[in-house]
């Protein structure tokens, strides 16, 4: 009887640890990294003092940076 209980507990423990090890997968998103050309997390601009202007989502900031005004 004790061996049966031990086997039952071991099986339950093993199944719980296997379920916990499954990674979360989002089928609508695929991470892709082709360093230094592409990073799926978004733009990472690192060119000194111009970085924030070139990475800006605001068109005015971007144009001011590339225009040199």
């Amino acid at each position: 009887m004790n061996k049966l209980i031990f086997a039952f507990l071991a099986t339950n423990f093993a199944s719980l640890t296997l379920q916990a090890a499954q990674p979360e997968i989002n089928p609508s998103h695929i991470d892709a990294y082709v360093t230094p050309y592409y990073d799926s997390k978004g733009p990472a601009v690192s060119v000194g003092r111009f970085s924030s202007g070139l990475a800006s989502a605001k068109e005015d900031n971007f144009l001011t940076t590339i225009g040199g005004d």
Side-chain angles (χ1 to χ4, degrees):
M1 186 69 171
N2 286 340
K3 290 183 181 180
L4 183 62
I5 292 173
F6 178 74
F8 177 74
L9 291 175
T11 304
N12 282 341
F13 178 75
S15 68
L16 288 175
T17 55
L18 289 175
Q19 288 176 356
Q22 295 295 325
E24 292 229 2
I25 297 173
N26 182 353
S28 67
H29 181 78
I30 299 173
D31 287 332
Y33 307 99
V34 185
T35 309
Y37 305 107
Y38 182 78
D39 185 350
S40 63
K41 291 184 180 179
V45 180
S46 180
V47 287
R49 64 186 180 126
F50 301 107
S51 298
S52 62
L54 292 175
S56 178
K58 297 180 180 179
E59 185 178 0
D60 292 339
N61 292 349
F62 179 77
L63 292 175
T64 301
T65 302
I66 63 171
D69 294 333

